[in-house]
Amino acid sequence: MNAFQIALLLYAVVIAAGGIMGYVSAQSMVSLVNGLIAAVLLLVGLAISFKNPPAGFGLSAVVALALGVFFAYRFFTTGKWMPGGVTMILSAVAFVLMALAALRKP
């Protein structure tokens, strides 16, 4: 497992944990379901990255971008750093890492 794959695994775990925290703190079933769906998609990207790194990291970059855009919207409409601002920044970092991993030469 390389550094990009480790970063992707950690990002998936944090996204899943965020969905669970949203459910526990606000009884938000939408947060739980969407957080788990996003985490599963990221884990699928991780699995694909072992055989086809550009495809796996590309999928993960798309998911990170979608999450980043969603949480940027949430942050700029509510002004709250948690979860909007933190997840926006985390997703931006993950997007850059996944895009770099997808585009790098083997």
Side-chain angles (χ1 to χ4, degrees):
M1 194 177 288
N2 65 38
F4 291 111
Q5 290 165 326
I6 293 169
L8 178 53
L9 177 61
L10 292 174
Y11 180 57
V13 168
V14 168
I15 293 300
I20 293 167
M21 280 181 18
Y23 177 73
V24 169
S25 67
Q27 284 67 50
S28 173
M29 186 62 75
V30 173
S31 292
L32 177 64
V33 171
N34 288 334
L36 294 179
I37 288 171
V40 166
L41 288 172
L42 291 167
L43 292 174
V44 167
L46 175 64
I48 293 169
S49 76
F50 287 101
K51 294 279 186 187
N52 187 347
F57 290 124
L59 169 63
S60 300
V62 169
V63 173
L65 180 62
L67 288 171
V69 168
F70 173 76
F71 282 103
Y73 171 78
R74 291 279 306 268
F75 173 69
F76 290 117
T77 57
T78 66
K80 295 181 181 177
W81 277 99
M82 196 61 186
V86 173
T87 310
M88 171 188 65
I89 293 168
L90 180 63
S91 295
V93 170
F95 171 74
V96 170
L97 288 175
M98 295 307 106
L100 288 173
L103 297 173
R104 77 182 179 139
K105 301 290 182 205

